[in-house]
Amino acid sequence: MSTLRAALTDTPRMVSGFTGGEFVPMRGDPLPVFDPSTGAVIAHLHESDAAEVDNAVMSARRAFDNGPWRHATVEQRQRMLMRIHDALLEQVDELAELETINTGIPIRQTRGMHVPRAAYNFKFFAEYIGQAASELYTQEPGFLTMVMREPLGVCALIGPWNVPLGLTSMKLAAALAFGNACVVKPSELTPLTVARLFEILQKCDLPEGQVNLVNGRGQITGAALSEHPQIDMVSFTGGTETGATILSALARGIKGGAMELGGKSANIIFDDCAFDRALDAALLGVYANNGQMCLAGARVLVQRGIADRFVDAFTRRTAAIRVGDPLAPDTELGPMISAAQSKRIADYVAIGEAEGARLLTGGKRHPGFNAGNFVEPTAMLVADNAARLCQEEIFGPFATLQVFDTEDEVVQIANNSRFGLAGYVWTENLSRAHRVAGRMRTGTVWINTPMVRDLRSAFGGYKESGLGREGGRGCEAMYTEQKTVMVPLEERPIVALGAPS
Ligand code: NAD
C-alpha cells in the first residue's frame, strides 16, 4: 500500500473550510470521505452550514469591496498567479497521489494531466492578462468610446468530483486573474486536493478574504452559497439538473452564472477513417478518466462499411482494458467514485437489454476485487438513438455503439440529444469533416483527434450542456463586467432644454 494511502487510512485527514485567511475549526458531526478503491474512510469533512457560508461570502465581499486586489496592477496579479503556479508544481507528485486516492482516477492521468494542468491554469491566466486589451471606438465623430472590463465581484466557484483540482483551479485562476474575490465549494466526495490547494494559497500571501473555501453537500452548503444575496455570480461545473437549480436561484437576484454541465457526445466514425487511430481514440474517449468525463464520446457511431470490424475490435480492446488499483502505473481504469455510481453500470445494462440493445462486453461489478467500486468496462450495441442508453448521461465506462449509413443520417443522430457539449468526427475526407463539424450542434468538435484542450479556445456546451464559455476570452467575459465610457474630443453643442428661445 502506498505510504500516503496507509497514512490516510490509519489517520483520516480533517478537512474544514477556509475563511478570512484561516482554516475554520472542526466541529459537529463530520461527513466521511472515502477511498473508492478500498472503501476506507480517508478524511472527515467539516460541513459548512448557512452561517459559515455567510462568513465566507462576507469575507470575500469585504475583500472585494475594500481590499487591494481589484486595484492591483497587472504585474502584481501576474506575480501572485505565478507564485501559486510554482508552489503547485512543487507539489505535483503529492497532489496527484492524493487526487488518485480520493477519486480513483488512474495516477498516470492525475500525474500526467490533471495536476500539471491545475498549475498551468495559473500560468495561463497570468500570461493572458498581460495581453488583454480594452475596446476603443472612434466611429462616432468627435467622441472616444471605450469599453473596459472591470472585476465582477464575489464569485462562487462550485466544482464536481470527476476532475476536482483541474476544474476548480481553472475557475479560481481565472476569477483571481480578473480581480475578483472567491468562495470555492468542491464536491463533498472529493474535497482533499482543493483543501491542499488552500494550504498552498495560505502561504502565498493573497490579501485576507480574497479566497475562501466551504465544504459540504450540495443541498446544504452548495445551496446556501448559490442563494446568498452577496455573491455576484456562480461558476458551476456539474450535472444539468443541479445547474438548473442554481440558475433558478440566480434568476431571483438577476445574476449570471457560467454553467459547464452534462454531455452525451457522439463520436462519428466514417468508413474512410484511419481505422487504428479512430479505434484508439474511441476507446480513450469512453474509458479515460474512468469514463466519468463530461466530454466522453460515449455514443460511438460507426458507418456500415467498417461496422463489423470496428465493433469487434472495440469489444476485444474494451474487454482487455487493465482495471486495477489506480495508484499502479499501468492501471487504465480505476474504481467508480461511489457505490451508487458503480451500480448505474448494471442498471443501464438492464435498461438497455429491455430496450433491445445487445451487451458486447462487461456490465457487472468487476469480479477481481473484494472491496472498492470496481466495474467492468462496458459496451452495448444499440439500434435506436431514442433509447435511454443513448439519451441519458451514464457517466461511467459505458459505450453505446450504433451503426449508420449516410452523412445526413449520422448528423441527425448526433444532434438528437438534449446535450450539446462536444463531438468527434473521423474521416480522411477533409470537406466532409468540416461539413459535419459545421452541422453538429455542440460547443466543440474534434476532427481526427481525441480530446485536446487549448485553453485559449472557448469551451462549453450548446443546449442543456451549459451556458457561457471557459477559456481565455470566455473566462474574461465570465468574470468581468463591461463598462462603457464616452468622452467628447471637442466641445459639442448640447440641446438646451428650457433655455429662452
Ligand atoms: P453534481 O451536479 O451532483 O455536483 C456538482 C457540485 O454541485 C458539487 O459540488 C455538489 O455538491 C454541488 N451541488 C449539488 N447540488 C447543489 C445545489 N442544489 N446547489 C448548489 N450546489 C449543489 O455533479 P457531479 O456528480 O459532482 O459531477 C458530474 C456531472 O458534472 C456530470 O453531469 C458531468 O457531465 C458534469 N461535468 C461537466 C463538465 C463540463 O465542463 N461541462 C465537466 C465535468 C463534469
Side-chain angles (χ1 to χ4, degrees), residues 159 161-162 185 188 218 222 236-239 242 260-262 294 393 395:
W161 47 259
N162 65 327
K185 195 204 93 61
E188 62 277 25
F236 172 74
T237 299
T242 314
E260 299 290 344
L261 308 177
C294 57
E393 186 183 40
F395 217 59

Side-chain angles (χ1 to χ4, degrees), residues 158-163 167 185-189 216-227 236-243 245-246 259-263 292-295 341 393 395 419 421 453 459-461 465 470:
I158 303 182
W161 47 259
N162 65 327
V163 186
L167 295 177
K185 195 204 93 61
S187 166
E188 62 277 25
L189 302 178
R217 287 165 291 183
Q219 324 83 280
I220 310 285
T221 313
L225 179 58
S226 53
E227 290 167 10
F236 172 74
T237 299
T240 292
E241 283 68 27
T242 314
T245 306
I246 293 173
M259 300 282 136
E260 299 290 344
L261 308 177
Q292 298 166 152
M293 191 168 51
C294 57
L295 295 164
Q341 199 65 22
E393 186 183 40
F395 217 59
F419 299 112
L421 191 55
R453 275 296 298 281
F459 176 77
S465 286
E470 290 198 323

Side-chain angles (χ1 to χ4, degrees), residues 9-240:
T9 308
D10 239 34
T11 315
R13 202 166 270 191
M14 301 290 169
V15 179
S16 73
F18 183 84
T19 293
E22 300 293 335
F23 282 94
V24 174
M26 300 281 291
R27 60 173 174 71
D29 289 336
L31 301 171
V33 178
F34 298 99
D35 175 344
S37 302
T38 63
V41 173
I42 50 169
H44 297 297
L45 185 68
H46 170 70
E47 183 165 63
S48 313
D49 60 12
E52 273 182 26
V53 170
D54 182 58
N55 283 342
V57 172
M58 293 317 293
S59 151
R61 184 82 264 162
R62 284 189 296 276
F64 183 75
D65 291 344
N66 312 321
W69 185 252
R70 65 196 274 206
H71 307 294
T73 62
V74 167
E75 203 195 328
Q76 286 167 331
R77 278 179 280 147
Q78 285 179 312
R79 252 189 275 124
M80 176 60 74
L81 292 166
M82 287 310 295
R83 191 179 300 166
I84 301 169
H85 164 266
D86 295 347
L88 275 172
L89 273 192
E90 279 172 22
Q91 309 290 332
V92 169
D93 289 329
E94 184 215 320
L95 283 165
E97 200 176 341
L98 194 58
E99 192 79 311
T100 286
I101 292 169
N102 194 178
T103 60
I105 307 295
I107 190 82
R108 58 154 82 167
Q109 293 164 36
T110 56
R111 178 66 185 80
M113 280 185 310
H114 297 195
V115 178
R117 161 72 196 280
Y120 178 67
N121 286 334
F122 289 91
K123 182 165 188 248
F124 173 81
F125 282 104
E127 287 170 354
Y128 183 90
I129 57 174
Q131 297 296 321
S134 302
E135 296 166 41
L136 176 68
Y137 297 96
T138 53
Q139 289 89 338
E140 184 68 24
F143 281 94
L144 287 183
T145 305
M146 289 155 275
V147 185
M148 294 176 285
R149 290 202 173 265
E150 297 189 340
L152 193 63
V154 175
C155 302
L157 312 177
I158 303 182
W161 47 259
N162 65 327
V163 186
L165 189 64
L167 295 177
T168 305
S169 59
M170 171 95 176
K171 296 180 188 303
L172 189 62
L176 282 177
F178 296 112
N180 299 285
C182 312
V183 182
V184 174
K185 195 204 93 61
S187 166
E188 62 277 25
L189 302 178
T190 55
L192 289 182
T193 47
V194 175
R196 245 333 254 133
L197 169 64
F198 270 77
E199 287 174 5
I200 292 168
L201 292 174
Q202 195 180 24
K203 297 194 180 120
C204 286
D205 290 333
L206 273 157
E208 186 183 308
Q210 203 64 45
V211 292
N212 302 274
L213 173 68
V214 294
N215 277 300
R217 287 165 291 183
Q219 324 83 280
I220 310 285
T221 313
L225 179 58
S226 53
E227 290 167 10
H228 198 291
Q230 290 296 332
I231 60 164
D232 294 302
M233 64 92 78
V234 175
S235 173
F236 172 74
T237 299
T240 292

Side-chain angles (χ1 to χ4, degrees), residues 404-420:
F404 71 90
D405 288 295
T406 66
E407 186 178 313
D408 280 346
E409 178 195 1
V410 81
V411 168
Q412 208 178 15
I413 294 173
N415 286 339
N416 179 2
S417 172
R418 62 191 276 239
F419 299 112

